[in-house]
Amino acid sequence: MDLLMLSNDAVLAEEWRAELARLDPPIRLRLPGDDRQGDVVAALVDGPVDGRLADWRDIRLVIGLNAGVEDLLGDPTLPSIPLLRMVCPETVALMKEYVCHYVIRARGRFEGLEAAQRAGRWEAGPGFPPPAAFRVAVMGLGELVLPTAQSLRDLGYCVSGWSRTLKTVPGIACYRGRKELESMLATTDVLICMLPLTPATRGLICADLLAKLPRNASFINVGRGGCVVEADLLAGLDQDRLSHATLDVFEREPPPSDSPLWAHPRVTMTPHVAATPDTAACAKRVARVLSAVLQGEDVRGLVDRAQGY
Amino acid sequence: MDLLMLSNDAVLAEEWRAELARLDPPIRLRLPGDDRQGDVVAALVDGPVDGRLADWRDIRLVIGLNAGVEDLLGDPTLPSIPLLRMVCPETVALMKEYVCHYVIRARGRFEGLEAAQRAGRWEAGPGFPPPAAFRVAVMGLGELVLPTAQSLRDLGYCVSGWSRTLKTVPGIACYRGRKELESMLATTDVLICMLPLTPATRGLICADLLAKLPRNASFINVGRGGCVVEADLLAGLDQDRLSHATLDVFEREPPPSDSPLWAHPRVTMTPHVAATPDTAACAKRVARVLSAVLQGEDVRGLVDRAQGY
């Protein structure tokens, strides 16, 4: 069983080749320059296809290496076969860990304690408000978002969720539509964007929307950079309306070297890694998917092209 | 309904008076110097009783303000009435938040990313191993520990638990006894002490035991300082066998100003606050407890004096 990989990153391809060879049974990695003989079931791609699948007619599935597929869907040479986003249990677990980490940081419970240590002071103080007093709102409630929102709820935070279609999730206040979004934001201490990039979400988080948040709210973006107007976000931080932004995704990636985000005292930047498992975990996921495809089983996580994610 | 408070901290007593007065129905706070008339159901204490309950014969319950009660149990003037530890949903939620925060930190996933930002570098790297690759072990599996261990499991970590009596918890490998403790430690990346202080746990975590951990494991103590031999822990850190210690509890609290812990580059210290809710949350808990006592209902969280916790 062979897998075609389309990537301009030779180091990454080499890593994949090694991990796939380690599986039982092993999977052989093919590259576009290789001969077209043999049983190539699927293509693994980390960006647009750019016509490179034209000669590989046996391929039954395209697997996008990232959770977001907007680049792929914008590519007219993408064949009309099922398209899968790389969302596996490991992706979900890494996303949960990332978001929980930065939500806990946004509560501000630990920074003061650690500053006291550095100053040699024992400052137990009067105790800290419980997590239930901290209002966390997520935008998006899909495959990757729902378990993250549930983790936040299980840690005791007061969690709200906003999505395109109204969801019902025990212990999470669910909202939909523009008007409900605004009322959700008015009672939010930390807003987390987990939206895909679609025509409906591009630039959605702009000055107008950020102004609905209470003063000193903070913001986390693990969705797509294009959902946020970065200039508006920066203005909110600089004008003391927002206390902090944690950004894993950006309008341009990497952001230009003269972007004020890099050195902003109220910005934490990470390089689009919130939900990126190591290649070993991804290779195991691909093996499970290929096995399901070959046995004619349903594959979970297929992209709905009409919705764009 | 009145509540007697024994505390040498006048500021804390004043905070309690204000929070209890805000409840519906309000509870009146009494201090040892006040007259003994009226309906005083329970005593709230933040340390040994030291004979101060002798004249308050109507009191039916002693409530320890802390989750640990070893000071109280060592006090021969403690009356033989039910003793309750202050463990409420807010205590549990704060403990979960504390432990999850420092376990995530112990994984080392985010420090490098933030250093890259400060250096102006976009270093996405090859992805990160999933949480399931990180082995977390808790010592203790009681009222406060079990939900914490479950949170860690739900975040995807590989969780083990060790306790005096063998427990069965789905998704958590459970151990008991000395020999099983040693085999658990051999496969642990971060060890979390959540033990109460009893004759059986005093000094339990010593050089001998720490040596069973793999090199570069880290350690978190949110149990009791007396469970750990601090000199042995420091030796482990200084000899590069342990990578980090996060300590909320200490042999002496606060640790002496010349303790090497304060400025140790591999030690994070917090002032015994891992599970300390603000007074508002504690006052609500006390009101629920007093209401249960008055209605003859069972009160959860009573101390087993024979076991010492």
Side-chain angles (χ1 to χ4, degrees):
Chain A
M1 189 165 60
D2 293 10
L3 177 74
L4 173 68
M5 183 166 189
L6 302 184
S7 170
N8 296 321
D9 184 339
V11 176
L12 185 69
E14 215 30 67
E15 250 190 56
W16 270 91
R17 186 189 301 281
E19 290 297 342
L20 291 169
R22 242 176 241 138
L23 296 172
D24 181 22
I27 295 173
R28 190 157 59 121
L29 191 79
R30 308 278 285 273
L31 297 174
D34 295 356
D35 76 77
R36 276 141 189 77
Q37 301 304 312
D39 185 19
V40 182
V41 180
L44 190 65
V45 303
D46 71 350
V49 164
D50 288 340
R52 289 175 292 175
L53 287 181
D55 295 335
W56 299 82
R57 304 202 178 276
D58 295 337
I59 284 175
R60 291 191 256 168
L61 178 73
V62 174
I63 306 172
L65 250 177
N66 307 308
V69 289
E70 66 279 1
D71 289 353
L72 270 168
L73 292 179
D75 178 350
T77 71
L78 180 71
S80 300
I81 56 177
L83 171 63
L84 188 81
R85 307 189 297 145
M86 181 58 83
V87 175
C88 53
E90 292 81 2
T91 325
V92 175
L94 287 167
M95 180 62 94
K96 283 161 61 167
E97 185 182 55
Y98 185 104
V99 171
C100 289
H101 177 62
Y102 286 109
V103 165
I104 293 172
R105 289 266 289 263
R107 273 251 286 170
R109 182 177 167 202
F110 299 105
E111 284 160 11
L113 298 176
E114 291 171 21
Q117 176 190 359
R118 287 190 295 274
R121 292 193 313 259
W122 179 270
E123 286 178 352
F128 207 81
F134 197 59
R135 300 164 302 175
V136 182
V138 294
M139 295 176 74
L141 275 176
E143 192 181 0
L144 202 49
V145 190
L146 185 59
T148 303
Q150 287 165 326
S151 286
L152 292 166
R153 175 199 65 194
D154 295 346
L155 284 175
Y157 301 110
C158 172
V159 180
S160 303
W162 179 84
S163 51
R164 192 173 49 81
T165 55
L166 187 60
K167 302 276 165 72
T168 307
V169 188
I172 296 179
C174 293
Y175 298 88
R176 59 157 291 188
R178 173 73 192 197
K179 210 173 147 195
E180 291 188 14
L181 176 56
E182 294 185 3
S183 56
M184 179 180 84
L185 295 182
T187 54
T188 289
D189 294 313
V190 56
L191 176 65
I192 309 167
C193 170
M194 300 189 75
L195 295 168
L197 187 61
T198 70
T201 65
R202 185 177 293 277
L204 174 65
I205 300 172
C206 59
D208 205 28
L209 211 76
L210 292 169
K212 309 295 179 196
L213 289 165
R215 185 169 284 268
N216 285 322
S218 60
F219 177 67
I220 297 174
N221 193 2
V222 286
R224 278 295 178 265
C227 302
V228 179
V229 180
E230 271 175 15
D232 291 359
L233 179 65
L234 277 162
L237 292 163
D238 288 335
Q239 292 160 17
D240 282 349
R241 283 181 282 110
L242 290 169
S243 63
H244 196 85
T246 300
L247 307 174
D248 188 51
V249 289
F250 304 87
E251 286 179 353
R252 266 180 61 193
E253 294 183 8
S257 59
D258 62 352
S259 163
L261 293 172
W262 285 103
H264 201 290
R266 293 185 167 180
V267 172
T268 301
M269 275 174 68
T270 55
H272 202 146
V273 294
T276 310
D278 56 356
T279 306
C282 293
K284 283 182 197 124
R285 159 74 172 159
V286 165
R288 289 192 300 269
V289 165
L290 294 192
S291 157
V293 167
L294 288 175
Q295 289 169 34
E297 293 168 6
D298 278 352
V299 175
R300 291 191 53 209
L302 291 179
V303 171
D304 178 340
R305 296 193 185 203
Q307 296 299 348
Y309 62 91
Chain B
M1 187 164 61
D2 293 10
L3 178 73
L4 174 68
M5 183 166 190
L6 302 183
S7 169
N8 296 320
D9 183 339
V11 175
L12 185 69
E14 212 33 65
E15 250 191 56
W16 270 91
R17 186 190 299 282
E19 289 297 343
L20 292 169
R22 243 177 240 139
L23 296 172
D24 180 23
I27 295 175
R28 191 158 59 122
L29 190 80
R30 309 277 286 272
L31 297 174
D34 296 355
D35 77 76
R36 275 140 189 76
Q37 301 305 310
D39 185 17
V40 182
V41 179
L44 189 65
V45 303
D46 70 351
V49 163
D50 288 339
R52 289 174 293 175
L53 288 181
D55 296 335
W56 299 82
R57 304 200 178 278
D58 294 337
I59 284 176
R60 291 190 255 167
L61 178 73
V62 174
I63 306 172
L65 250 177
N66 307 309
V69 289
E70 67 277 4
D71 288 352
L72 270 168
L73 292 179
D75 177 352
T77 71
L78 180 72
S80 301
I81 55 177
L83 171 63
L84 189 81
R85 307 189 298 144
M86 181 59 81
V87 175
C88 53
E90 292 81 2
T91 325
V92 175
L94 287 166
M95 180 62 94
K96 283 162 61 168
E97 183 182 56
Y98 184 104
V99 171
C100 289
H101 176 62
Y102 286 109
V103 165
I104 292 172
R105 289 265 290 261
R107 273 251 286 171
R109 182 177 166 203
F110 299 105
E111 283 160 13
L113 297 176
E114 291 171 21
Q117 176 190 359
R118 287 189 295 273
R121 292 193 313 260
W122 179 269
E123 286 178 352
F128 207 81
F134 197 60
R135 302 164 301 175
V136 181
V138 294
M139 296 177 73
L141 275 175
E143 191 180 1
L144 202 49
V145 190
L146 185 58
T148 303
Q150 288 166 325
S151 286
L152 292 165
R153 175 199 66 194
D154 295 345
L155 284 174
Y157 301 109
C158 172
V159 180
S160 302
W162 179 84
S163 51
R164 191 172 49 81
T165 56
L166 188 60
K167 301 276 164 73
T168 307
V169 187
I172 297 179
C174 293
Y175 298 88
R176 60 157 291 188
R178 174 73 192 196
K179 210 174 146 194
E180 291 188 12
L181 176 56
E182 294 185 5
S183 55
M184 180 179 83
L185 295 181
T187 54
T188 289
D189 295 311
V190 55
L191 176 66
I192 309 168
C193 168
M194 300 188 74
L195 295 167
L197 187 61
T198 70
T201 65
R202 185 176 292 278
L204 175 63
I205 300 172
C206 59
D208 205 27
L209 210 76
L210 291 170
K212 309 297 179 196
L213 289 166
R215 185 169 284 267
N216 285 322
S218 60
F219 177 66
I220 297 173
N221 193 2
V222 286
R224 279 292 178 267
C227 301
V228 180
V229 180
E230 271 174 15
D232 292 358
L233 179 65
L234 276 162
L237 292 164
D238 288 336
Q239 291 159 18
D240 282 348
R241 284 181 283 108
L242 291 169
S243 64
H244 196 86
T246 300
L247 307 174
D248 188 51
V249 290
F250 304 87
E251 286 179 352
R252 264 180 62 193
E253 295 184 9
S257 58
D258 62 352
S259 164
L261 293 172
W262 285 103
H264 200 290
R266 294 185 166 181
V267 172
T268 301
M269 276 175 67
T270 56
H272 202 148
V273 293
T276 309
D278 56 354
T279 305
C282 293
K284 283 183 197 122
R285 160 73 173 160
V286 164
R288 288 192 301 270
V289 166
L290 294 192
S291 158
V293 168
L294 289 176
Q295 289 168 34
E297 291 168 8
D298 279 351
V299 176
R300 290 191 54 211
L302 291 179
V303 171
D304 178 339
R305 297 193 184 203
Q307 296 299 348
Y309 63 92

